[in-house]
């Protein structure tokens, strides 16, 4: 299936979860926030949130500083 990740088309296997996408992008364990179709998905729900064709995903990296 095809989805949009940070504005670019991305091809993924069918029936993938948000956790699977995060892992595939090499972002597992990093401080990120993820929106699916403009709705923030809590990190605790990444494993149960199934993606669908044409979903629009925005991955936001947390940046620390002072």
């Amino acid at each position: 299936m095809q989805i949009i990740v940070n504005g670019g088309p991305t091809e993924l296997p069918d029936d993938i979860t948000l956790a699977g996408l995060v892992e595939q992008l090499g972002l597992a364990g990093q401080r990120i926030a993820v929106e699916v179709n403009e709705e923030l998905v809590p990190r605790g729900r990444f494993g149960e949130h199934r993606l669908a064709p044409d979903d629009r995903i925005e991955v936001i990296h947390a940046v620390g500083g002072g």
Side-chain angles (χ1 to χ4, degrees):
M1 86 175 133
Q2 187 167 345
I3 64 170
I4 304 297
V5 177
N6 290 350
T10 302
E11 192 68 32
L12 295 173
D14 292 340
D15 202 36
I16 191 169
T17 64
L18 189 51
L21 172 64
V22 168
E23 186 173 319
Q24 185 171 330
L25 294 174
L27 300 174
Q30 295 188 28
R31 294 183 57 181
I32 60 170
V34 182
E35 288 183 352
V36 177
N37 301 322
E38 300 182 1
E39 289 189 29
L40 186 64
V41 177
R43 180 179 293 275
R45 294 191 51 220
F46 284 7
E48 65 190 52
H49 188 100
R50 299 245 175 246
L51 298 176
D54 300 319
D55 274 349
R56 300 185 74 77
I57 314 298
E58 292 293 326
V59 180
I60 300 118
H61 294 267
V63 178

